[in-house]
């Protein structure tokens, strides 16, 4: 599949680190499955991975202090 950002590179399966912050808290989820552009490096998540990320973030919001780092495959 072609990259939606640069329109030139091909997307290939990879993993990435997902960062988000909320309420002055930084959440880092490592080794998240994604598709990455070989040309520009843009990252896209599948719908199922995106739903799991949303679930993880919602769960962590209830438990978090200031910093949480998670391994995707251990919490998804």
């Amino acid at each position: 599949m072609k990259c939606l950002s640069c329109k030139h590179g091909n997307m290939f399966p990879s993993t990435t680190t997902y960062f988000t912050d909320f309420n002055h808290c930084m959440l880092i989820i490592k080794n998240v499955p994604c598709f990455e552009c070989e040309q520009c490096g843009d990252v896209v998540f599948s719908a199922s991975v995106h739903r799991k990320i949303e679930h993880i973030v919602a769960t962590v919001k209830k438990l978090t202090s200031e910093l949480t780092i998670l391994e995707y495959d251990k919490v998804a």
Side-chain angles (χ1 to χ4, degrees):
M1 123 174 129
K2 288 290 184 188
C3 178
L4 301 173
S5 295
C6 73
K7 310 287 193 248
H8 299 289
N10 291 313
M11 303 297 281
F12 64 94
S14 185
T15 59
T16 191
T17 301
Y18 178 84
F19 298 87
T20 188
D21 71 67
F22 51 87
N23 301 332
H24 307 290
C25 172
M26 175 61 76
L27 171 63
I28 301 167
I29 307 173
K30 300 183 335 183
N31 299 315
V32 180
C34 66
F35 293 94
E36 183 177 355
C37 176
E38 65 188 4
Q39 183 79 21
C40 71
D42 191 37
V43 170
V44 176
F45 300 111
S46 69
S48 65
V49 168
H50 186 70
R51 281 190 300 275
K52 286 180 183 177
I53 289 171
E54 287 179 335
H55 176 73
I56 291 166
V57 170
T59 301
V60 169
K61 280 183 179 181
K62 298 173 188 173
L63 307 171
T64 298
S65 57
E66 290 187 27
L67 174 66
T68 301
I69 302 173
L70 305 169
E71 289 279 347
Y72 177 87
D73 57 350
K74 293 180 182 171
V75 296

